[in-house]
Amino acid sequence: MLKDKELKDKIIEDHEGSSANSDMTLDRLRGRIEKIAAANSVPVDLTIDELRIGNALSNTTGNVLVLRNPEHGDDYFGLCIMFNSGGVRPVVNAYFCGNSKQLGLEMKQRQAKANRYNRVTKSLERGVKTGTSFFGTIQAFMITIPMNLASAVMSLVRAIQRNDEAIAKEETYYNNCVSIIKMAVDE
C-alpha cells in the first residue's frame, strides 16, 4: 500500500485521453501500457496497488497503477499512475514514488538552488518594501549569507556525486514512460 506522503513531483498533470476510452478500466490501461511498452522496447513492470490519502482518522483509498523499471527496481523512481474514467474522457495523473539514487540527488540540488535564490530575493524585497535604508538591506542580505554558503557547499558535494550520464539515461526512461502512458489513454 502506497501512502500519499510517499508521492513526489507530479510528472503528468490532468492529461485527458480520447473520448472513445470513456469506459476504460485500470486493467485495460495496464494492458495497453504493457503492449505499447513492449512494441517500443521499454522495460516496464506494472502492478496495481492501493493508495491511501489522509491520516489514520480520516483517509480514503483508491487503486493506482505503479510502473517500475524491472532492470533498475531500487535505483529508479516508480511512477504512481492515477486514473479516473468517470466522465466523458479518461483523465490521468502520474507522480514519482519511491527513491532514485541519481535523479533524487539532482532534484535536491535543484531545490536547494531555488531556495537560495528565494532567500536572497525575499530579503532584498523585504528591505525595499519596508522602506529600510541601504544599511538595513545590507543587513538583511548578510543574514542570508551563512545559510547560502551551507546550501552551496551541500550542492557542491552532490555535484561531485552526480553521474550526468546516468541522470540523462534515467530522464530518457521517464520521458518514454510518459509518452507510453499518454498513448495508452489517447488510443
Side-chain angles (χ1 to χ4, degrees), residues 1 34 40 47 74 76 80 84 110 118 141:
M1 173 183 284
E34 288 173 341
N40 291 299
T47 56
D74 294 335
Y76 274 25
C80 176
N84 182 7
R110 290 176 189 168
N118 288 337
F141 183 72

Side-chain angles (χ1 to χ4, degrees), residues 84-146:
N84 182 7
S85 63
V88 176
R89 296 175 180 265
V91 178
V92 172
N93 290 294
Y95 294 84
F96 287 118
C97 62
N99 294 311
S100 168
K101 292 178 183 175
Q102 290 296 322
L103 197 58
L105 289 172
E106 178 70 14
M107 290 171 124
K108 285 178 184 176
Q109 185 177 3
R110 290 176 189 168
Q111 186 61 43
K113 186 175 183 179
N115 289 344
R116 282 194 310 272
Y117 176 78
N118 288 337
R119 271 190 237 121
V120 170
T121 54
K122 284 181 183 178
S123 295
L124 294 175
E125 287 173 358
R126 201 175 308 125
V128 171
K129 285 181 183 175
T130 59
T132 307
S133 67
F134 174 73
F135 296 109
T137 303
I138 295 294
Q139 181 182 14
F141 183 72
M142 294 300 286
I143 292 171
T144 63
I145 287 177

Side-chain angles (χ1 to χ4, degrees), residues 1-4 6-7 49-52 64 66 80 97:
M1 173 183 284
L2 283 173
K3 297 179 184 172
D4 61 343
E6 298 173 30
L7 301 181
D49 202 351
E50 193 173 56
L51 175 68
R52 188 174 92 187
V64 294
V66 179
C80 176
C97 62

Side-chain angles (χ1 to χ4, degrees), residues 10-27:
K10 191 180 269 192
I11 190 168
I12 299 176
E13 184 167 2
D14 296 334
H15 177 76
E16 291 186 1
S18 169
S19 59
N21 294 326
S22 61
D23 61 341
M24 184 181 284
T25 63
L26 207 55
D27 287 324

Side-chain angles (χ1 to χ4, degrees), residues 13 19-20 22 34 39 46 48 61-62 81-82 92 102 120 129 147 149-150 161 163 166 170 182 184:
E13 184 167 2
S19 59
S22 61
E34 288 173 341
L46 285 165
I48 295 178
T61 59
I81 304 166
M82 296 178 199
V92 172
Q102 290 296 322
V120 170
K129 285 181 183 175
M147 292 185 294
L149 285 175
Q161 296 173 343
N163 181 343
E170 190 172 346
K182 288 181 178 179

